[in-house]
Amino acid sequence: MITNPLPIKKIVFYKHGIGFFERSGKLSGQKKVTLSFKKKDMNDILKSLVVINKNPEGKVLGISYDTQEDAEVIIKEKSINLGKEKSLRDLLCALRGYNITLNVKGEKISGTVAGIDYSEERRDFSRNVLSLYINDKKQVLTYPLSEINDFLINDPVAAGDLTFFLEKSIGERKKDEKFVTLLLDGDEHDLSISYIASAPIWRVSYRLIHNSKENRGYIMGWGIINNTMEEDLENVEIVLTTGLPVSFTYDLYSPKTLDRPQIKDEARQMTAVIEHDMKKKDQTAGTMKMPVSKVIADTGELCSIHEQKADLFDSTKKTTTLTKGEKESQFFKYTVSNPVTIKRGQSAMVPILTYSFDCLKEHIYTARKMEKNPYLTLSFKNKSPYVFGRGPVTILEDSSYIGEAIIPFISKEQYVRLPYAVDVEVTVKEEFSEYDTFNSFVFIENSAGNYLFYKEVYHTSETLYSANNSSSEEVNLIIEHTPYGHGYELYETLEPVEKTDNYIRWKIILPPKNFQILKIRERKKIHRNEYYNNLSMEKLSQWFKNHCMDEIIYNRLSDIYVFFEQIREIEKWREKLEQDRKQILEKQTSFRDQLQVLGDRGDEGTLRKRYIKNMENQEDRLEEINNEKENLAKKLFELKKKIDQAVAELAREQKQ
């Protein structure tokens, strides 16, 4: 593993799994700097890496990095490829045809490797020999491997392949590690490097000490961070932020190649490549390349993304605050004042806030959440200079553990309640009912043929809370009531002490060994559909008896009821006439069938005359039925007209 030559000086931890890292340091006489990163972070490194050389005499020429290809595949393509065993044999075999200089018992001999005579069966190492061709002498010399002290590879290609193999072997042993190399120009460098990479989210835990006699609270917040890197963190500035900046992964690390169409030559005719004009020039396409030194700023001043501010908040008398809390852009950050040291594979807790505040103990019953008991809560307003992140809090009172809670995200000046225990000495019984209370009738002039009017009522919900205190101390109980629904308003109910988006709260004083009752009524004006043609004298009499209408409206509706009763009688008579008409038509059909088989003489003639007489009488009856139906239709028309007039007059009178 390569140790990063530039140590980490600052880390900003975020809440969504990334960290902002800053490395810096001065280097002298180096032409390159190699940094190691985890393979999974390479996309973030390529996306965010910023390199600044603050020394005007030094420059950053470029950056190179390991590709994503498998190291074994790349090594096999090179001339030098050594096995895990017999590496000397493999190296000498790979150098066949290359010029080397042997050191044999202090004598330097240069020549071209002709081959190696090597056998696994030869236990005597001296019998394995190297053949070296001396070009100017046209002579092949052999040397036992045991006599060769060392050798020099004169061919730069072979030497480069061996160097590449050894570097890739390091990466292969640790496949998760990738190397990024900064190419430098100049003798003196003052480098500052920043980037984002994956990091465990930082978490916070609190301790709250409550003084019940003075109604005061003292809270301590500890940030929990983990070092999952492959290096120790020594004297690093730690910043913990509540911000959630937009962050995503973008695959820049995987090499991308595009398949091109293959154009084949034809024996008799050349086919040209067809090209289509682009509607709009692709700004990302083209062959122009920008030097890396133009992309990476070369300046004598580093502008940090997270600048420190000089504000240091007052500490409490008991504990010295070691963290600065301040707003930055849309985020709130905690900057740990003293540098932090965390060994590799270890974690740390750092103090991020201390705050002393007024804190009140309350008993809160949340409707429809607890079956019968309220919660014991500590309530306070955040008047501190901090923003509280979400985390668990352990609560102590008078040096005793009394419970735990979850602190939500708390902004400045926000009021919060922390439920930490169940109050078993106070019970609350909850009873619920709902009903309609009549308000008035609404008559509309145009009922669109539905003969519709409305009964305007107040739909009322009633909740009864019965609270009992079995303790020997007075209890201030807060009832946290969930509103019945949208548009419902309180009436005939005590004024609440507080309203939020989700709850309405009342405060009840419970004397020792006593109980109290809170009745909450909520109502909303709604309209129930009523229909004129469904009226009955029983319903009208009930409304009149219950003072839902005066005598004038009662008489108007009674007249309309009589009109509809007459319509119903006419409809019954029309249905009776229609049934008679159908029966006559059925009999006439039967008579016609009989007349077809009867003669004109004798008994058949007499019967025939009787059938004809009956059919004539039936025709007369059919005519009477048709006349009656026409008269009934006229009566129906007149009755409906009267109903429309009565409904319109009733609506106009109500408007007046």
Side-chain angles (χ1 to χ4, degrees), residues 564-619:
F564 275 107
E565 279 294 299
Q566 293 175 0
I567 288 176
R568 283 189 279 269
E569 290 298 325
I570 291 175
E571 292 291 349
K572 290 180 181 179
W573 183 244
R574 289 181 66 183
E575 185 178 350
K576 175 65 171 57
L577 293 176
E578 182 62 25
Q579 291 177 354
D580 291 346
R581 189 182 72 84
K582 289 181 178 180
Q583 290 178 358
I584 291 173
L585 292 176
E586 291 175 357
K587 289 181 180 180
Q588 286 184 338
T589 300
S590 177
F591 287 159
R592 290 190 184 95
D593 293 339
Q594 294 294 330
L595 288 174
Q596 290 180 0
V597 299
L598 292 176
D600 295 333
R601 298 179 181 179
D603 293 338
E604 290 186 1
T606 303
L607 186 57
R608 183 181 183 87
K609 291 178 181 179
R610 186 183 304 166
Y611 283 163
I612 293 174
K613 181 66 175 176
N614 287 337
M615 290 182 67
E616 290 175 352
N617 294 335
Q618 289 174 350
E619 288 293 332

Short mmCIF file of all heavy atoms in Angstrom, two decimals, residues 564-619:
data_model
loop_
_atom_site.label_atom_id
_atom_site.label_comp_id
_atom_site.label_asym_id
_atom_site.label_seq_id
_atom_site.Cartn_x
_atom_site.Cartn_y
_atom_site.Cartn_z
N PHE A 564 -98.24 16.36 -5.30
CA PHE A 564 -97.55 15.11 -5.64
C PHE A 564 -98.42 13.89 -5.34
O PHE A 564 -98.32 12.87 -6.04
CB PHE A 564 -96.21 15.01 -4.88
CG PHE A 564 -95.07 15.71 -5.56
CD1 PHE A 564 -94.58 16.90 -5.06
CD2 PHE A 564 -94.50 15.18 -6.71
CE1 PHE A 564 -93.53 17.55 -5.69
CE2 PHE A 564 -93.45 15.83 -7.34
CZ PHE A 564 -92.96 17.02 -6.84
N GLU A 565 -99.26 13.99 -4.30
CA GLU A 565 -100.19 12.89 -4.04
C GLU A 565 -101.17 12.74 -5.19
O GLU A 565 -101.49 11.62 -5.62
CB GLU A 565 -100.95 13.15 -2.73
CG GLU A 565 -100.17 12.78 -1.47
CD GLU A 565 -99.94 11.29 -1.38
OE1 GLU A 565 -100.92 10.51 -1.33
OE2 GLU A 565 -98.75 10.89 -1.40
N GLN A 566 -101.68 13.86 -5.73
CA GLN A 566 -102.58 13.80 -6.88
C GLN A 566 -101.86 13.22 -8.10
O GLN A 566 -102.46 12.43 -8.86
CB GLN A 566 -103.11 15.20 -7.19
CG GLN A 566 -104.03 15.76 -6.12
CD GLN A 566 -104.45 17.19 -6.39
OE1 GLN A 566 -104.05 17.79 -7.39
NE2 GLN A 566 -105.26 17.76 -5.49
N ILE A 567 -100.61 13.60 -8.27
CA ILE A 567 -99.84 13.04 -9.39
C ILE A 567 -99.70 11.53 -9.22
O ILE A 567 -99.84 10.76 -10.20
CB ILE A 567 -98.46 13.72 -9.47
CG1 ILE A 567 -98.61 15.15 -9.99
CG2 ILE A 567 -97.52 12.93 -10.38
CD1 ILE A 567 -97.32 15.93 -10.01
N ARG A 568 -99.44 11.08 -8.00
CA ARG A 568 -99.29 9.65 -7.78
C ARG A 568 -100.61 8.91 -8.06
O ARG A 568 -100.60 7.80 -8.61
CB ARG A 568 -98.80 9.38 -6.36
CG ARG A 568 -97.31 9.65 -6.18
CD ARG A 568 -96.80 9.19 -4.82
NE ARG A 568 -97.10 10.16 -3.79
CZ ARG A 568 -96.30 11.15 -3.44
NH1 ARG A 568 -95.14 11.31 -4.05
NH2 ARG A 568 -96.63 12.01 -2.49
N GLU A 569 -101.74 9.53 -7.69
CA GLU A 569 -103.04 8.90 -7.98
C GLU A 569 -103.29 8.83 -9.48
O GLU A 569 -103.79 7.82 -10.00
CB GLU A 569 -104.16 9.68 -7.30
CG GLU A 569 -104.18 9.57 -5.78
CD GLU A 569 -104.41 8.14 -5.32
OE1 GLU A 569 -105.17 7.41 -6.01
OE2 GLU A 569 -103.81 7.74 -4.31
N ILE A 570 -102.97 9.91 -10.18
CA ILE A 570 -103.15 9.91 -11.64
C ILE A 570 -102.26 8.86 -12.29
O ILE A 570 -102.68 8.15 -13.22
CB ILE A 570 -102.85 11.32 -12.21
CG1 ILE A 570 -103.94 12.30 -11.76
CG2 ILE A 570 -102.74 11.30 -13.73
CD1 ILE A 570 -103.67 13.74 -12.16
N GLU A 571 -101.03 8.74 -11.79
CA GLU A 571 -100.12 7.75 -12.36
C GLU A 571 -100.66 6.34 -12.13
O GLU A 571 -100.55 5.47 -13.00
CB GLU A 571 -98.72 7.88 -11.72
CG GLU A 571 -97.98 9.17 -12.08
CD GLU A 571 -97.56 9.18 -13.55
OE1 GLU A 571 -97.65 8.12 -14.23
OE2 GLU A 571 -97.12 10.24 -14.03
N LYS A 572 -101.27 6.10 -10.97
CA LYS A 572 -101.87 4.78 -10.73
C LYS A 572 -103.02 4.52 -11.70
O LYS A 572 -103.18 3.42 -12.23
CB LYS A 572 -102.37 4.69 -9.29
CG LYS A 572 -101.27 4.64 -8.23
CD LYS A 572 -101.88 4.55 -6.85
CE LYS A 572 -100.80 4.53 -5.78
NZ LYS A 572 -101.38 4.46 -4.41
N TRP A 573 -103.88 5.57 -11.92
CA TRP A 573 -105.02 5.38 -12.82
C TRP A 573 -104.54 5.19 -14.26
O TRP A 573 -105.09 4.37 -15.00
CB TRP A 573 -105.97 6.58 -12.72
CG TRP A 573 -107.21 6.44 -13.56
CD1 TRP A 573 -107.60 7.20 -14.60
CD2 TRP A 573 -108.22 5.45 -13.41
NE1 TRP A 573 -108.78 6.78 -15.12
CE2 TRP A 573 -109.20 5.67 -14.40
CE3 TRP A 573 -108.41 4.38 -12.51
CZ2 TRP A 573 -110.32 4.88 -14.54
CZ3 TRP A 573 -109.54 3.61 -12.67
CH2 TRP A 573 -110.48 3.86 -13.67
N ARG A 574 -103.52 5.91 -14.67
CA ARG A 574 -102.95 5.74 -16.02
C ARG A 574 -102.41 4.32 -16.19
O ARG A 574 -102.56 3.71 -17.26
CB ARG A 574 -101.83 6.75 -16.26
CG ARG A 574 -102.30 8.17 -16.43
CD ARG A 574 -101.15 9.11 -16.67
NE ARG A 574 -100.50 8.86 -17.95
CZ ARG A 574 -99.42 9.50 -18.39
NH1 ARG A 574 -98.86 10.43 -17.61
NH2 ARG A 574 -98.91 9.22 -19.56
N GLU A 575 -101.78 3.81 -15.15
CA GLU A 575 -101.27 2.44 -15.23
C GLU A 575 -102.41 1.43 -15.35
O GLU A 575 -102.32 0.46 -16.10
CB GLU A 575 -100.42 2.15 -13.98
CG GLU A 575 -99.74 0.79 -14.00
CD GLU A 575 -98.88 0.55 -12.79
OE1 GLU A 575 -98.65 1.51 -12.02
OE2 GLU A 575 -98.42 -0.60 -12.60
N LYS A 576 -103.56 1.71 -14.62
CA LYS A 576 -104.74 0.81 -14.72
C LYS A 576 -105.33 0.86 -16.14
O LYS A 576 -105.68 -0.18 -16.72
CB LYS A 576 -105.79 1.27 -13.71
CG LYS A 576 -107.12 0.53 -13.77
CD LYS A 576 -106.97 -0.94 -13.39
CE LYS A 576 -108.31 -1.62 -13.23
NZ LYS A 576 -109.15 -1.55 -14.41
N LEU A 577 -105.44 2.04 -16.75
CA LEU A 577 -105.94 2.16 -18.11
C LEU A 577 -105.04 1.44 -19.11
O LEU A 577 -105.52 0.80 -20.06
CB LEU A 577 -106.08 3.64 -18.50
CG LEU A 577 -107.15 4.44 -17.75
CD1 LEU A 577 -107.08 5.91 -18.17
CD2 LEU A 577 -108.55 3.89 -18.02
N GLU A 578 -103.76 1.52 -18.89
CA GLU A 578 -102.83 0.87 -19.80
C GLU A 578 -102.97 -0.64 -19.71
O GLU A 578 -102.89 -1.35 -20.72
CB GLU A 578 -101.39 1.30 -19.48
CG GLU A 578 -100.33 0.71 -20.39
CD GLU A 578 -100.49 1.12 -21.84
OE1 GLU A 578 -101.10 2.19 -22.10
OE2 GLU A 578 -99.99 0.39 -22.72
N GLN A 579 -103.17 -1.15 -18.52
CA GLN A 579 -103.39 -2.60 -18.37
C GLN A 579 -104.69 -3.03 -19.07
O GLN A 579 -104.73 -4.07 -19.74
CB GLN A 579 -103.43 -2.97 -16.89
CG GLN A 579 -102.10 -2.84 -16.18
CD GLN A 579 -102.20 -3.14 -14.70
OE1 GLN A 579 -103.31 -3.35 -14.17
NE2 GLN A 579 -101.03 -3.15 -14.03
N ASP A 580 -105.78 -2.20 -18.93
CA ASP A 580 -107.04 -2.53 -19.63
C ASP A 580 -106.85 -2.52 -21.13
O ASP A 580 -107.39 -3.38 -21.86
CB ASP A 580 -108.13 -1.52 -19.24
CG ASP A 580 -108.56 -1.66 -17.79
OD1 ASP A 580 -108.21 -2.70 -17.18
OD2 ASP A 580 -109.18 -0.72 -17.24
N ARG A 581 -106.09 -1.56 -21.62
CA ARG A 581 -105.87 -1.48 -23.07
C ARG A 581 -105.13 -2.71 -23.58
O ARG A 581 -105.48 -3.28 -24.63
CB ARG A 581 -105.07 -0.22 -23.39
CG ARG A 581 -104.97 0.10 -24.88
CD ARG A 581 -104.11 1.33 -25.11
NE ARG A 581 -102.72 1.04 -24.86
CZ ARG A 581 -101.90 0.50 -25.77
NH1 ARG A 581 -102.35 0.21 -26.98
NH2 ARG A 581 -100.65 0.26 -25.47
N LYS A 582 -104.16 -3.19 -22.84
CA LYS A 582 -103.42 -4.37 -23.25
C LYS A 582 -104.31 -5.61 -23.26
O LYS A 582 -104.22 -6.46 -24.15
CB LYS A 582 -102.22 -4.59 -22.33
CG LYS A 582 -101.12 -3.57 -22.51
CD LYS A 582 -99.95 -3.87 -21.59
CE LYS A 582 -98.82 -2.87 -21.80
NZ LYS A 582 -97.67 -3.13 -20.91
N GLN A 583 -105.20 -5.73 -22.26
CA GLN A 583 -106.11 -6.89 -22.22
C GLN A 583 -107.07 -6.89 -23.40
O GLN A 583 -107.36 -7.93 -23.99
CB GLN A 583 -106.88 -6.88 -20.90
CG GLN A 583 -106.03 -7.18 -19.68
CD GLN A 583 -106.80 -7.12 -18.39
OE1 GLN A 583 -108.02 -6.81 -18.39
NE2 GLN A 583 -106.12 -7.39 -17.27
N ILE A 584 -107.60 -5.69 -23.76
CA ILE A 584 -108.52 -5.60 -24.90
C ILE A 584 -107.80 -5.99 -26.19
O ILE A 584 -108.35 -6.73 -27.02
CB ILE A 584 -109.10 -4.17 -25.01
CG1 ILE A 584 -110.04 -3.91 -23.82
CG2 ILE A 584 -109.83 -3.97 -26.33
CD1 ILE A 584 -110.53 -2.49 -23.75
N LEU A 585 -106.59 -5.54 -26.36
CA LEU A 585 -105.85 -5.87 -27.57
C LEU A 585 -105.57 -7.37 -27.64
O LEU A 585 -105.62 -7.98 -28.73
CB LEU A 585 -104.53 -5.09 -27.61
CG LEU A 585 -104.66 -3.57 -27.78
CD1 LEU A 585 -103.29 -2.91 -27.69
CD2 LEU A 585 -105.32 -3.23 -29.12
N GLU A 586 -105.31 -8.01 -26.51
CA GLU A 586 -105.09 -9.46 -26.50
C GLU A 586 -106.38 -10.21 -26.88
O GLU A 586 -106.34 -11.18 -27.64
CB GLU A 586 -104.61 -9.91 -25.13
CG GLU A 586 -103.19 -9.44 -24.79
CD GLU A 586 -102.79 -9.80 -23.38
OE1 GLU A 586 -103.65 -10.37 -22.65
OE2 GLU A 586 -101.63 -9.50 -22.98
N LYS A 587 -107.54 -9.73 -26.37
CA LYS A 587 -108.82 -10.37 -26.72
C LYS A 587 -109.14 -10.19 -28.20
O LYS A 587 -109.63 -11.11 -28.87
CB LYS A 587 -109.95 -9.80 -25.87
CG LYS A 587 -109.90 -10.22 -24.41
CD LYS A 587 -111.06 -9.64 -23.64
CE LYS A 587 -111.02 -10.06 -22.17
NZ LYS A 587 -112.15 -9.50 -21.41
N GLN A 588 -108.89 -9.02 -28.73
CA GLN A 588 -109.16 -8.78 -30.15
C GLN A 588 -108.31 -9.69 -31.03
O GLN A 588 -108.78 -10.19 -32.06
CB GLN A 588 -108.89 -7.32 -30.50
CG GLN A 588 -109.96 -6.36 -29.98
CD GLN A 588 -109.72 -4.93 -30.43
OE1 GLN A 588 -108.59 -4.57 -30.78
NE2 GLN A 588 -110.77 -4.13 -30.43
N THR A 589 -107.08 -9.93 -30.60
CA THR A 589 -106.24 -10.84 -31.38
C THR A 589 -106.82 -12.24 -31.36
O THR A 589 -106.84 -12.95 -32.39
CB THR A 589 -104.82 -10.85 -30.78
OG1 THR A 589 -104.27 -9.54 -30.82
CG2 THR A 589 -103.90 -11.78 -31.55
N SER A 590 -107.37 -12.66 -30.20
CA SER A 590 -107.98 -13.99 -30.11
C SER A 590 -109.25 -14.08 -30.96
O SER A 590 -109.50 -15.09 -31.64
CB SER A 590 -108.29 -14.31 -28.65
OG SER A 590 -108.93 -15.56 -28.52
N PHE A 591 -110.08 -13.00 -30.96
CA PHE A 591 -111.31 -13.00 -31.77
C PHE A 591 -110.97 -13.09 -33.25
O PHE A 591 -111.64 -13.82 -34.01
CB PHE A 591 -112.12 -11.73 -31.51
CG PHE A 591 -112.80 -11.72 -30.15
CD1 PHE A 591 -113.20 -10.53 -29.55
CD2 PHE A 591 -113.05 -12.92 -29.46
CE1 PHE A 591 -113.82 -10.54 -28.30
CE2 PHE A 591 -113.67 -12.90 -28.23
CZ PHE A 591 -114.05 -11.72 -27.64
N ARG A 592 -109.95 -12.40 -33.68
CA ARG A 592 -109.59 -12.44 -35.10
C ARG A 592 -109.16 -13.84 -35.51
O ARG A 592 -109.48 -14.31 -36.62
CB ARG A 592 -108.47 -11.44 -35.38
CG ARG A 592 -108.91 -9.99 -35.28
CD ARG A 592 -107.83 -9.05 -35.82
NE ARG A 592 -108.19 -7.66 -35.64
CZ ARG A 592 -107.81 -6.90 -34.63
NH1 ARG A 592 -107.04 -7.41 -33.67
NH2 ARG A 592 -108.21 -5.63 -34.54
N ASP A 593 -108.45 -14.51 -34.61
CA ASP A 593 -108.05 -15.88 -34.93
C ASP A 593 -109.27 -16.79 -35.05
O ASP A 593 -109.33 -17.67 -35.92
CB ASP A 593 -107.10 -16.41 -33.83
CG ASP A 593 -105.78 -15.67 -33.81
OD1 ASP A 593 -105.42 -15.06 -34.84
OD2 ASP A 593 -105.08 -15.70 -32.76
N GLN A 594 -110.29 -16.59 -34.20
CA GLN A 594 -111.49 -17.41 -34.25
C GLN A 594 -112.32 -17.12 -35.50
O GLN A 594 -112.90 -18.03 -36.12
CB GLN A 594 -112.34 -17.16 -32.99
CG GLN A 594 -111.69 -17.62 -31.68
CD GLN A 594 -111.53 -19.11 -31.61
OE1 GLN A 594 -112.34 -19.87 -32.20
NE2 GLN A 594 -110.49 -19.57 -30.93
N LEU A 595 -112.42 -15.86 -35.88
CA LEU A 595 -113.21 -15.49 -37.06
C LEU A 595 -112.66 -16.10 -38.35
O LEU A 595 -113.41 -16.36 -39.31
CB LEU A 595 -113.25 -13.97 -37.21
CG LEU A 595 -114.11 -13.22 -36.16
CD1 LEU A 595 -113.95 -11.71 -36.32
CD2 LEU A 595 -115.58 -13.61 -36.31
N GLN A 596 -111.40 -16.39 -38.40
CA GLN A 596 -110.82 -16.96 -39.60
C GLN A 596 -111.28 -18.38 -39.85
O GLN A 596 -111.29 -18.85 -41.00
CB GLN A 596 -109.29 -16.91 -39.50
CG GLN A 596 -108.71 -15.50 -39.60
CD GLN A 596 -107.21 -15.49 -39.49
OE1 GLN A 596 -106.60 -16.55 -39.34
NE2 GLN A 596 -106.62 -14.30 -39.58
N VAL A 597 -111.74 -19.09 -38.83
CA VAL A 597 -112.15 -20.50 -39.00
C VAL A 597 -113.67 -20.68 -38.95
O VAL A 597 -114.17 -21.79 -39.18
CB VAL A 597 -111.49 -21.38 -37.92
CG1 VAL A 597 -109.98 -21.31 -38.04
CG2 VAL A 597 -111.91 -20.93 -36.51
N LEU A 598 -114.45 -19.60 -38.64
CA LEU A 598 -115.91 -19.72 -38.55
C LEU A 598 -116.58 -19.38 -39.89
O LEU A 598 -116.10 -18.51 -40.64
CB LEU A 598 -116.45 -18.77 -37.47
CG LEU A 598 -116.08 -19.11 -36.00
CD1 LEU A 598 -116.61 -18.04 -35.07
CD2 LEU A 598 -116.65 -20.48 -35.62
N GLY A 599 -117.70 -20.07 -40.18
CA GLY A 599 -118.49 -19.79 -41.39
C GLY A 599 -119.56 -18.73 -41.15
O GLY A 599 -119.69 -18.21 -40.04
N ASP A 600 -120.40 -18.47 -42.23
CA ASP A 600 -121.43 -17.43 -42.12
C ASP A 600 -122.82 -17.99 -41.83
O ASP A 600 -123.77 -17.22 -41.64
CB ASP A 600 -121.49 -16.62 -43.43
CG ASP A 600 -120.19 -15.86 -43.67
OD1 ASP A 600 -119.50 -15.53 -42.67
OD2 ASP A 600 -119.83 -15.59 -44.83
N ARG A 601 -123.02 -19.33 -41.82
CA ARG A 601 -124.34 -19.93 -41.65
C ARG A 601 -124.40 -20.75 -40.37
O ARG A 601 -123.38 -21.20 -39.87
CB ARG A 601 -124.67 -20.82 -42.84
CG ARG A 601 -124.72 -20.05 -44.17
CD ARG A 601 -125.02 -20.99 -45.30
NE ARG A 601 -125.04 -20.28 -46.58
CZ ARG A 601 -125.26 -20.88 -47.76
NH1 ARG A 601 -125.50 -22.18 -47.80
NH2 ARG A 601 -125.26 -20.17 -48.87
N GLY A 602 -125.69 -20.95 -39.91
CA GLY A 602 -125.93 -21.82 -38.75
C GLY A 602 -125.35 -21.23 -37.49
O GLY A 602 -125.25 -20.02 -37.30
N ASP A 603 -124.99 -22.17 -36.61
CA ASP A 603 -124.43 -21.76 -35.31
C ASP A 603 -123.14 -20.98 -35.47
O ASP A 603 -122.88 -20.05 -34.71
CB ASP A 603 -124.18 -23.00 -34.45
CG ASP A 603 -125.50 -23.68 -34.06
OD1 ASP A 603 -126.53 -22.98 -34.08
OD2 ASP A 603 -125.44 -24.87 -33.71
N GLU A 604 -122.33 -21.36 -36.48
CA GLU A 604 -121.08 -20.63 -36.69
C GLU A 604 -121.36 -19.19 -37.09
O GLU A 604 -120.65 -18.26 -36.68
CB GLU A 604 -120.23 -21.32 -37.77
CG GLU A 604 -119.65 -22.66 -37.32
CD GLU A 604 -118.73 -23.23 -38.36
OE1 GLU A 604 -118.54 -22.57 -39.41
OE2 GLU A 604 -118.14 -24.31 -38.09
N GLY A 605 -122.41 -19.00 -37.85
CA GLY A 605 -122.75 -17.64 -38.25
C GLY A 605 -123.18 -16.81 -37.05
O GLY A 605 -122.85 -15.61 -36.94
N THR A 606 -124.01 -17.45 -36.15
CA THR A 606 -124.45 -16.73 -34.94
C THR A 606 -123.26 -16.36 -34.07
O THR A 606 -123.16 -15.24 -33.54
CB THR A 606 -125.44 -17.62 -34.16
OG1 THR A 606 -126.53 -17.96 -35.00
CG2 THR A 606 -125.95 -16.91 -32.92
N LEU A 607 -122.32 -17.33 -33.89
CA LEU A 607 -121.13 -17.07 -33.07
C LEU A 607 -120.25 -15.99 -33.70
O LEU A 607 -119.67 -15.15 -33.01
CB LEU A 607 -120.33 -18.36 -32.89
CG LEU A 607 -119.12 -18.30 -31.95
CD1 LEU A 607 -119.55 -17.84 -30.57
CD2 LEU A 607 -118.43 -19.66 -31.90
N ARG A 608 -120.20 -16.02 -35.01
CA ARG A 608 -119.38 -15.03 -35.72
C ARG A 608 -119.91 -13.62 -35.47
O ARG A 608 -119.15 -12.67 -35.21
CB ARG A 608 -119.38 -15.36 -37.21
CG ARG A 608 -118.49 -14.43 -38.04
CD ARG A 608 -118.57 -14.81 -39.51
NE ARG A 608 -117.67 -13.99 -40.29
CZ ARG A 608 -116.39 -14.24 -40.51
NH1 ARG A 608 -115.85 -15.34 -39.98
NH2 ARG A 608 -115.63 -13.43 -41.24
N LYS A 609 -121.27 -13.46 -35.52
CA LYS A 609 -121.87 -12.14 -35.29
C LYS A 609 -121.60 -11.67 -33.85
O LYS A 609 -121.39 -10.48 -33.61
CB LYS A 609 -123.38 -12.22 -35.54
CG LYS A 609 -123.74 -12.43 -37.01
CD LYS A 609 -125.24 -12.54 -37.18
CE LYS A 609 -125.61 -12.78 -38.67
NZ LYS A 609 -127.06 -12.91 -38.85
N ARG A 610 -121.61 -12.65 -32.90
CA ARG A 610 -121.35 -12.27 -31.51
C ARG A 610 -119.90 -11.73 -31.35
O ARG A 610 -119.67 -10.76 -30.64
CB ARG A 610 -121.57 -13.49 -30.62
CG ARG A 610 -121.48 -13.16 -29.12
CD ARG A 610 -121.62 -14.40 -28.29
NE ARG A 610 -122.87 -15.08 -28.60
CZ ARG A 610 -123.15 -16.33 -28.22
NH1 ARG A 610 -122.26 -17.02 -27.54
NH2 ARG A 610 -124.32 -16.87 -28.54
N TYR A 611 -118.92 -12.43 -31.98
CA TYR A 611 -117.53 -11.97 -31.90
C TYR A 611 -117.37 -10.57 -32.49
O TYR A 611 -116.66 -9.71 -31.94
CB TYR A 611 -116.61 -12.94 -32.65
CG TYR A 611 -116.33 -14.22 -31.87
CD1 TYR A 611 -115.82 -15.35 -32.51
CD2 TYR A 611 -116.55 -14.30 -30.49
CE1 TYR A 611 -115.56 -16.52 -31.83
CE2 TYR A 611 -116.32 -15.47 -29.80
CZ TYR A 611 -115.81 -16.57 -30.47
OH TYR A 611 -115.55 -17.73 -29.78
N ILE A 612 -118.05 -10.35 -33.61
CA ILE A 612 -117.93 -9.04 -34.25
C ILE A 612 -118.51 -7.96 -33.36
O ILE A 612 -117.95 -6.86 -33.24
CB ILE A 612 -118.63 -9.07 -35.63
CG1 ILE A 612 -117.86 -10.01 -36.58
CG2 ILE A 612 -118.72 -7.68 -36.22
CD1 ILE A 612 -118.56 -10.22 -37.92
N LYS A 613 -119.69 -8.27 -32.69
CA LYS A 613 -120.30 -7.30 -31.79
C LYS A 613 -119.37 -6.96 -30.63
O LYS A 613 -119.21 -5.78 -30.25
CB LYS A 613 -121.63 -7.87 -31.28
CG LYS A 613 -122.39 -6.93 -30.34
CD LYS A 613 -122.85 -5.68 -31.06
CE LYS A 613 -123.70 -4.80 -30.14
NZ LYS A 613 -124.09 -3.53 -30.78
N ASN A 614 -118.73 -8.00 -30.06
CA ASN A 614 -117.81 -7.77 -28.95
C ASN A 614 -116.60 -6.92 -29.37
O ASN A 614 -116.13 -6.05 -28.63
CB ASN A 614 -117.31 -9.11 -28.38
CG ASN A 614 -118.40 -9.83 -27.59
OD1 ASN A 614 -119.34 -9.20 -27.10
ND2 ASN A 614 -118.28 -11.15 -27.48
N MET A 615 -116.10 -7.17 -30.56
CA MET A 615 -114.96 -6.40 -31.05
C MET A 615 -115.34 -4.94 -31.25
O MET A 615 -114.54 -4.03 -31.00
CB MET A 615 -114.43 -6.99 -32.36
CG MET A 615 -113.74 -8.35 -32.18
SD MET A 615 -113.08 -8.99 -33.72
CE MET A 615 -111.79 -7.79 -34.04
N GLU A 616 -116.59 -4.71 -31.69
CA GLU A 616 -117.03 -3.33 -31.86
C GLU A 616 -117.11 -2.63 -30.50
O GLU A 616 -116.72 -1.46 -30.36
CB GLU A 616 -118.40 -3.30 -32.55
CG GLU A 616 -118.35 -3.71 -34.01
CD GLU A 616 -119.73 -3.79 -34.65
OE1 GLU A 616 -120.73 -3.68 -33.88
OE2 GLU A 616 -119.80 -3.96 -35.87
N ASN A 617 -117.62 -3.36 -29.48
CA ASN A 617 -117.68 -2.78 -28.14
C ASN A 617 -116.27 -2.48 -27.58
O ASN A 617 -116.05 -1.47 -26.90
CB ASN A 617 -118.42 -3.73 -27.19
CG ASN A 617 -119.89 -3.88 -27.56
OD1 ASN A 617 -120.49 -2.98 -28.19
ND2 ASN A 617 -120.51 -5.00 -27.18
N GLN A 618 -115.36 -3.39 -27.88
CA GLN A 618 -113.99 -3.19 -27.40
C GLN A 618 -113.33 -1.99 -28.08
O GLN A 618 -112.54 -1.26 -27.45
CB GLN A 618 -113.15 -4.46 -27.65
CG GLN A 618 -113.55 -5.62 -26.72
CD GLN A 618 -112.83 -6.90 -27.06
OE1 GLN A 618 -112.19 -6.98 -28.10
NE2 GLN A 618 -112.99 -7.92 -26.22
N GLU A 619 -113.64 -1.79 -29.34
CA GLU A 619 -113.10 -0.61 -30.03
C GLU A 619 -113.61 0.66 -29.37
O GLU A 619 -112.87 1.65 -29.24
CB GLU A 619 -113.47 -0.65 -31.51
CG GLU A 619 -112.73 -1.68 -32.32
CD GLU A 619 -111.26 -1.36 -32.42
OE1 GLU A 619 -110.89 -0.16 -32.36
OE2 GLU A 619 -110.43 -2.31 -32.53
#
